[in-house]
């Protein structure tokens, strides 16, 4: 980065990792080209890289297979969006900071707490901004919960119960068959899936965690639980027609989760799905994958001020949304992303907020785009309070790492006050 962004021109962005999440965030550039302009793309996947370059009219010289080649070119840009796989966050983040680029980093920050802290330290020293894509802070439903709690109208928070219902389809696609199935290549599931939720809970309570305990395991998706007659692949399985985890049913019949499949030029989606079912990772039997992340987990936290918080991550459900119940000294709030109910103890007053019209809307009901817009405002206005800084995010990440340590050791972890 050579020049600070100004209001007179768009913020120039480089995308490192042009997958599904990057394309969601870059919808902002499609809608507001006067505010955000892609100037380069980096991705090892030829199909994704070329598609992105075509979409935004990038020249071949600004389309890179490896980020080292991009950094070597010294491209004029203001910010870098890093949305690579989780085990390829730290290195490009450090190199982007050293090159003077501001960074928007897809969660989680990195695979180790020390790496998260190192990114934050380097950013402070270099004077660049690093934001983390915790989009729940920008979602209308979750922002409303926080607004009500922060207003003080219902008194002080006593406890929060929060359920992250992952849903069977998402679970088998991402955490059993897919790229988040192994901790070595991604992270423990609380970090890979639920650091959004923990960030929200910290933002909601405004308190630090003092101690925590966590329980969970890979209970079901293991070879010894395979039913008699189960095949190695769903296309070759004698019991596929009755299996609730069928890849054939998920991708070929229902056409769910197929946006992640890259369709080569000259091929149809049907052909691509069938080839994946025959030979790819997504066609495997859920009992015969190389997954090791847990399939259910509970986290209990004691916060400052004697507030208790629980988070339950559940895969074995048809639901794919979050439920939250906040109990306060003067009332309670409960909701399921569709409806939010607020009840006051004295007088029995009750009111309801209806969010059903935004359920299922793309871009996390617009939260993805609000996040990008907020980051751009922060770049253009020094001192502007960007909502999801890396400093705040490190706190939620540390809880995830400590939760995994508690789960593995069976101990309660005392959390110190050092970020």
């Amino acid at each position: 980065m050579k020049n600070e962004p100004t209001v007179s021109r768009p913020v120039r962005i480089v995308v490192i990792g042009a997958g599904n999440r990057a394309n969601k965030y870059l919808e902002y550039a499609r809608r507001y080209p006067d505010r955000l302009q892609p100037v380069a793309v980096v991705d090892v996947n030829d199909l994704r890289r070329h598609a992105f370059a075509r979409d935004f009219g990038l020249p071949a010289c600004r389309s890179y297979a490896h980020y080292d080649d991009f950094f070597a070119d010294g491209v004029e840009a203001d910010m870098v969006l890093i949305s690579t796989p989780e085990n390829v966050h730290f290195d490009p983040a450090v190199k982007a900071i050293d090159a003077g680029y501001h960074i928007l980093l897809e969660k989680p920050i990195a695979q180790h707490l020390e790496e998260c802290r190192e990114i934050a330290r380097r950013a402070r020293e270099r004077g660049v901004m690093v934001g983390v894509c915790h989009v729940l802070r920008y979602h209308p439903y979750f922002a409303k919960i926080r607004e009500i709690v922060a207003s003080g109208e219902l008194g002080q928070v006593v406890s929060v119960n929060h359920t992250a219902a992952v849903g069977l389809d998402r679970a088998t696609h991402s955490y059993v068959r897919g790229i988040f199935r192994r901790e070595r290549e991604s992270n423990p599931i609380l970090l890979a899936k639920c650091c959004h939720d923990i960030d929200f809970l910290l933002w909601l309570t405004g308190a630090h965690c003092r101690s925590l305990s966590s329980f969970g395991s890979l209970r079901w998706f293991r070879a010894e639980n395979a039913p008699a007659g189960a095949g190695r692949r769903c296309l070759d399985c004698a019991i596929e027609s009755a299996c609730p985890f069928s890849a054939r049913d998920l991708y070929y019949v229902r056409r769910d989760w197929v946006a992640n499949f890259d369709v080569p030029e000259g091929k149809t989606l049907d052909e691509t799905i069938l080839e994946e079912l025959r030979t790819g990772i997504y066609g495997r039997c859920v009992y015969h994958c190389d997954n090791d992340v847990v399939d259910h987990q509970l986290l209990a936290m004691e916060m400052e001020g004697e507030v208790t918080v629980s988070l339950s991550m559940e895969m074995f459900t048809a639901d794919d949304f979050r439920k939250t119940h906040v109990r306060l000294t003067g009332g309670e709030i409960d909701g399921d992303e569709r409806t939010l109910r607020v009840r006051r103890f004295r007088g029995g007053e009750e009111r309801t907020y209806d969010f059903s019209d935004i359920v299922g809307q793309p871009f996390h009901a617009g939260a993805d785009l609000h996040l990008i817009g907020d980051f751009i405002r922060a770049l253009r206005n020094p001192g502007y309070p960007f909502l999801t800084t890396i400093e705040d995010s490190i706190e939620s990440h540390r809880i995830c790492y400590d939760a995994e340590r508690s789960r593995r050791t069976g101990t309660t972890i005392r959390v110190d006050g050092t970020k």
Side-chain angles (χ1 to χ4, degrees), residues 248-397:
R248 179 185 177 277
D249 177 61
L250 177 62
Y251 303 123
Y252 192 72
V253 177
R254 289 190 278 136
R255 288 294 199 275
D256 285 338
W257 291 93
V258 296
N260 297 280
F261 293 172
D262 299 309
V263 181
E265 188 174 351
K267 294 281 189 180
T268 66
L269 178 59
D270 273 3
E271 291 171 333
T272 301
I273 293 173
L274 288 174
E275 181 63 22
E276 181 66 35
L277 291 175
R278 292 188 193 102
T279 64
I281 61 174
Y282 294 104
R284 297 179 297 173
C285 171
V286 291
Y287 301 105
H288 296 297
C289 293
D290 55 346
N291 54 305
D292 62 15
V293 299
V294 303
D295 53 26
H296 66 296
Q297 189 165 356
L298 178 67
L299 169 63
M301 296 183 283
E302 180 188 39
M303 316 297 285
E304 292 173 340
E306 302 179 55
V307 175
T308 56
V309 176
S310 68
L311 165 68
S312 182
M313 186 285 297
E314 304 294 346
M315 287 188 184
F316 292 88
T317 173
D319 296 335
D320 189 359
F321 53 82
R322 296 166 169 94
K323 296 179 181 178
T324 308
H325 197 149
V326 187
R327 295 173 173 88
L328 303 99
T329 55
E332 59 187 326
I333 307 166
D334 64 279
D336 60 2
E337 293 192 54
R338 292 163 173 77
T339 302
L340 188 64
R341 182 175 59 167
V342 181
R343 293 184 286 179
R344 189 185 298 274
F345 293 149
R346 182 60 186 258
E349 177 193 339
E350 179 176 319
R351 67 182 187 271
T352 301
Y353 297 89
D354 184 6
F355 292 90
S356 58
D357 59 330
I358 65 172
V359 171
Q361 282 190 3
F363 315 110
H364 287 104
D368 295 344
L369 309 185
H370 290 310
L371 183 148
I372 297 296
D374 200 40
F375 194 78
I376 290 173
R377 283 189 289 274
L379 290 186
R380 285 178 164 165
N381 302 282
Y384 177 87
F386 180 63
L387 199 52
T388 61
T389 67
I390 190 170
E391 300 293 348
D392 287 339
S393 297
I394 285 176
E395 182 74 5
S396 62
H397 283 50

Side-chain angles (χ1 to χ4, degrees), residues 169 171-181 234 243 245-248 250-251 281-286 289-291:
D169 291 347
T172 57
H173 173 80
S174 297
Y175 304 103
V176 180
R177 297 183 176 104
I179 62 173
F180 303 111
R181 68 189 182 276
C234 293
C243 179
F245 316 118
S246 166
R248 179 185 177 277
L250 177 62
Y251 303 123
I281 61 174
Y282 294 104
R284 297 179 297 173
C285 171
V286 291
C289 293
D290 55 346
N291 54 305

Side-chain angles (χ1 to χ4, degrees), residues 202 205-211 301-307 391-392 395 398-399 415-419:
L202 293 177
T205 60
H208 293 290
C209 177
R210 298 196 307 190
S211 63
M301 296 183 283
E302 180 188 39
M303 316 297 285
E304 292 173 340
E306 302 179 55
V307 175
E391 300 293 348
D392 287 339
E395 182 74 5
R398 180 176 61 167
I399 288 173
V415 181
D416 65 36
T418 304
K419 283 192 178 182

